[in-house]
Amino acid sequence: QVQLVESGGGLVQAGGSLRLSCVASGRTFSSYNMGWFRQAPGKEREFVAAISRSDTRTDYVDSVKGRFTISRANAKNTVYLQMNSLKPEDTAVYYCAAVSGLLLAPSRGDRYAYWGQGTQVTVSS
């Protein structure tokens, strides 16, 4: 089993920035496509961003394009989510997820086999 541990969440003011990290166990991190999802109170889980195992493709939900950047450092078994120009509507628990093979539908949460515990991001107005 792959274990994922997120960190970097916290409380920030609108317009501020946070950098989330997700560290994966094992030697085969480079074989996994990685994604970030979030869930706000009373709302459905929402796709945020994804990056392919080859680091040749990234995907974002429209609401974060231009503000968030996903990246990975395979030597560190880590995927990052740089979050700039944060808005109150970004407030949610953010989850890291992993899936092997092809990343044909990065926004579908049911395609991911492994999930982290989540980290809380709160943006004040």
Side-chain angles (χ1 to χ4, degrees):
Q1 297 292 317
V2 175
Q3 294 186 345
L4 306 173
V5 180
E6 304 99 330
S7 63
L11 173 64
V12 298
Q13 295 183 349
S17 298
L18 285 174
R19 188 193 193 197
L20 305 184
S21 299
C22 174
V23 179
S25 64
R27 296 182 176 182
T28 59
F29 175 75
S30 62
S31 299
Y32 289 87
N33 306 287
M34 304 297 297
W36 287 96
F37 292 76
R38 65 187 181 187
Q39 187 166 22
K43 294 186 177 180
E44 298 290 328
R45 180 183 60 192
E46 177 187 31
F47 167 76
V48 178
I51 187 167
S52 65
R53 60 185 181 180
S54 62
D55 198 15
T56 59
R57 172 184 173 179
T58 58
D59 294 271
Y60 300 91
V61 66
D62 286 345
S63 62
V64 309
K65 288 181 178 178
R67 300 190 297 120
F68 291 10
T69 302
I70 188 171
S71 62
R72 65 192 300 159
N74 288 346
K76 298 180 180 180
N77 283 12
T78 302
V79 62
Y80 303 98
L81 185 67
Q82 179 66 46
M83 309 164 67
N84 299 326
S85 301
L86 284 163
K87 304 175 181 179
E89 49 263 48
D90 295 318
T91 295
V93 176
Y94 283 71
Y95 297 92
C96 176
V99 61
S100 63
L102 300 177
L103 188 62
L104 300 179
S107 65
R108 295 293 300 271
D110 57 0
R111 295 293 307 277
Y112 294 82
Y114 306 102
W115 294 82
Q117 83 288 352
T119 185
Q120 177 71 49
V121 172
T122 302
V123 184
S124 62
S125 60

